[in-house]
Amino acid sequence: MSDSDGELDPRRARAMMLLAKALKGHQRGGTAEDPRKSESSGAEEELVFLKALLQLQSHQDIVQSVRDRVNVLRMRTGNASVTVRQSSVPTDATGVSPQRRTDQHSTAPQMMVSPDVVACLKQVRDGQLDCVEPEALEASFWHALVPELAATESSAPATGEQPWLLDFPTAKRDLHADGFCVLAPAAPQPADELTKVKASLSRLDRLQLGARRLQALGWPPVFLFMFDDAWEVLDGLWPLMRGLLGEDCELDPSVFCWVARLGRDAGRGVAQRTGLNGAGAAEEEEEDGPGAPPGSNFGHPHRDFTCLDSIGADGEPRLLSTWVPLTPVTADNGCMLVVPRALDRHFDKRWAYAHMRPATRGEADGVTEVRFDLQAVRAVAPLRPGSVVAWHGNLIHWGTCCTAADHAPRVSVGFNFFRRGVRLQSGAPNLTQERARALNLQQRLAIISRSLLAYSPWFKLGATTVPPGLFRHVPSVPD
């Protein structure tokens, strides 16, 4: 039987089995407590999956995502099992080797309790992996989710090649005058250089499809950084950052990936509490309503850091926020909006009330109050895939939603680079290029966990932040 007939290879089948097992246990627990809540949770889950499915452009990706979903639902309801190709390791009807089943499960039945996702993220961030399912620390688990991308146990040194024409004088001039600069992908003519550019574009396309696939399966897009290709894109940024920040610049130990929301969904689910920079824990607008999923565009004008954090006494940048679209960016599919430095009267006024509060949203009425000149706003579009947008941390910026379903929402990744010696997060050292190249899967997962927590003021973190199957369900404590 071929894969198109529903047969999966053992690694993919194992991942589906693990996910289905956890989902089934999660569903039983929710139903016992409140059937309506379980029904609502299931509907939200399907809604997220179908919306993400609409964003996939490849027929093969759509078919594969649907097939994965069908297999999970079959096993979740107990109506069918997945057909598995012959493997050298004997397995039972559930796809798990008998020896492994004996090791992992007691013969006595136990009630399993869903993990506390936020607590688990904090543990993983701090290097404690006891709460993680063992399979999630294996490359095969991630490859089964996104077969087009590789997740190696330990990343081999990359080439450091970058497909940009580096014009540092212009970039520095734009940074000084506008607070941001844009570096477009190169389009060289020689055949060997053109081959490198094509290879880079192919990687970007695989990554954006991978981000959509992960989102369709319920994973925040930032889990794209479990895969080698995402770190290879980052690896190519170092020559640019060295030219702007100095030869010994470093990377903040957090990364992120965004998929812009569709316009009809952009205002639903979350209101930011009025506060510093519009940040604060994400609140649900409706009781039991869904919060904004991690990885949506940041649709609220904000500064990442203060001017003291961002610019040194010499006027040179201490840190740069860096944003790389994996897809074309237009004014319709989710572009970045900025307020240029020269048109922002609070750009370097650290103690002004409006400096870190460029826009605040009222708790009661949801109306956003802005403290900058709206006619100063500029759209950073159009952009080609692989463009680099870098800005001072105190630049006012935000991301727009995708206007309609007939546009593919943009997908992008982001990083923060520092001058050597600058550090804004406690508990983890900054990364050099060599350290970033050497990250294994456990260390990548720790960085992803740290990133979800760091960006949590923009999103609601909870039981549905990551799919069941990443963290262990633990036995309940007897009364």
Side-chain angles (χ1 to χ4, degrees):
M1 184 181 289
S2 68
D3 189 60
S4 61
D5 293 324
E7 184 175 296
L8 302 177
D9 64 51
R11 294 178 303 177
R12 193 173 191 82
R14 177 63 187 128
M16 293 296 103
M17 288 291 181
L18 180 64
L19 183 57
K21 177 185 71 175
L23 285 172
K24 193 171 182 179
H26 180 68
Q27 186 183 45
R28 284 198 302 266
T31 304
E33 292 175 8
D34 186 345
R36 291 175 303 172
K37 188 171 289 187
S38 178
E39 239 178 77
S40 172
S41 176
E44 288 173 22
E45 186 181 309
E46 290 307 306
L47 188 60
V48 170
F49 170 73
L50 292 172
K51 284 179 180 176
L53 192 66
L54 287 173
Q55 297 172 15
L56 295 175
Q57 296 175 309
S58 162
H59 176 267
Q60 180 182 356
D61 282 288
I62 293 172
V63 170
Q64 187 62 66
S65 293
V66 171
R67 185 177 295 131
D68 287 346
R69 190 66 176 166
V70 168
N71 282 324
V72 167
L73 293 175
R74 281 176 176 170
M75 290 180 287
R76 183 174 175 178
T77 58
N79 292 333
S81 61
V82 176
T83 304
V84 185
R85 291 177 189 160
Q86 291 297 319
S87 170
S88 56
V89 180
T91 60
D92 61 15
T94 65
V96 185
S97 68
Q99 180 61 44
R100 204 164 185 180
R101 176 171 293 280
T102 302
D103 293 341
Q104 291 181 352
H105 300 281
S106 168
T107 55
Q110 287 182 311
M111 178 66 71
M112 305 303 286
V113 178
S114 298
D116 181 335
V117 169
V118 175
C120 288
L121 288 172
K122 290 179 179 179
Q123 289 179 40
V124 177
R125 173 198 63 190
D126 297 335
Q128 303 171 21
L129 301 175
D130 292 346
C131 61
V132 180
E133 288 280 6
E135 289 83 354
L137 299 175
E138 298 175 3
S140 58
F141 177 90
W142 300 101
H143 181 71
L145 292 176
V146 187
E148 297 82 4
L149 299 176
T152 55
E153 295 293 348
S154 182
S155 181
T159 63
E161 294 174 351
Q162 41 71 35
W164 301 289
L165 293 175
L166 301 182
D167 184 355
F168 292 124
T170 299
K172 288 184 175 181
R173 182 195 65 205
D174 291 345
L175 270 176
H176 181 75
D178 300 325
F180 72 100
C181 65
V182 178
L183 194 70
Q189 297 304 315
D192 57 338
E193 293 297 320
L194 187 59
T195 299
K196 292 179 184 178
V197 172
K198 287 181 177 178
S200 174
L201 291 176
S202 176
R203 176 185 299 125
L204 298 178
D205 195 49
R206 293 196 306 272
L207 283 169
Q208 65 95 4
L209 289 173
R212 299 187 200 277
R213 168 83 58 82
L214 288 169
Q215 187 183 61
L217 294 174
W219 294 86
V222 69
F223 280 91
L224 197 66
F225 284 92
M226 290 301 295
F227 299 95
D228 301 349
D229 289 88
W231 292 97
E232 287 172 11
V233 169
L234 165 66
D235 197 73
L237 294 175
W238 287 95
L240 169 62
M241 292 299 109
R242 290 191 182 104
L244 298 176
L245 290 169
E247 285 297 320
D248 52 359
C249 65
E250 298 175 328
L251 175 73
D252 181 66
S254 65
V255 294
F256 219 67
C257 177
W258 299 268
V259 179
R261 303 180 83 183
L262 291 174
R264 62 176 177 269
D265 302 321
R268 295 179 55 196
V270 165
Q272 293 289 340
R273 292 192 185 102
T274 301
L276 189 68
N277 205 24
E283 291 185 321
E284 295 175 349
E285 288 183 342
E286 301 175 5
E287 187 177 356
D288 295 329
S296 304
N297 53 285
F298 292 172
H300 193 85
H302 64 282
R303 305 181 200 269
D304 293 331
F305 305 100
T306 70
C307 63
L308 293 181
D309 291 328
S310 306
I311 303 175
D314 57 1
E316 295 299 316
R318 300 180 74 237
L319 61 87
L320 290 174
S321 298
T322 309
W323 189 77
V324 181
L326 306 179
T327 59
V329 176
T330 69
D332 294 319
N333 75 341
C335 70
M336 185 82 74
L337 296 180
V338 301
V339 178
R341 175 178 185 167
L343 302 178
D344 176 7
R345 62 194 181 98
H346 296 119
F347 182 84
D348 55 3
K349 293 180 171 56
R350 167 66 181 91
W351 304 113
Y353 179 84
H355 181 67
M356 292 303 287
R357 298 175 182 84
T360 52
R361 186 175 298 165
E363 250 183 274
D365 54 16
V367 174
T368 300
E369 177 183 348
V370 299
R371 300 182 180 88
F372 55 86
D373 191 350
L374 287 175
Q375 66 182 340
V377 176
R378 301 291 186 267
V380 187
L383 295 173
R384 288 185 288 159
S387 300
V388 179
V389 184
W391 62 87
H392 287 295
N394 57 319
L395 181 80
I396 297 175
H397 64 284
W398 65 103
T400 63
C401 63
C402 183
T403 58
D406 56 346
H407 297 288
R410 57 91 173 154
V411 181
S412 57
V413 292
F415 317 92
N416 290 313
F417 286 88
F418 300 145
R419 278 193 201 177
R420 186 187 176 101
V422 176
R423 185 174 172 183
L424 297 179
Q425 288 198 65
S426 60
N430 292 340
L431 295 173
T432 62
Q433 185 176 23
E434 291 70 26
R435 289 176 188 162
R437 286 176 173 179
L439 293 171
N440 59 31
L441 293 182
Q442 292 87 344
Q443 292 166 325
R444 293 180 188 181
L445 187 59
I447 287 175
I448 290 169
S449 298
R450 174 178 294 277
S451 303
L452 283 169
L453 292 165
Y455 285 99
S456 63
W458 292 95
F459 304 116
K460 181 176 177 60
L461 292 180
T464 59
T465 297
V466 296
L470 176 62
F471 298 129
R472 294 174 182 265
H473 280 57
V474 296
S476 61
V477 179
D479 293 332

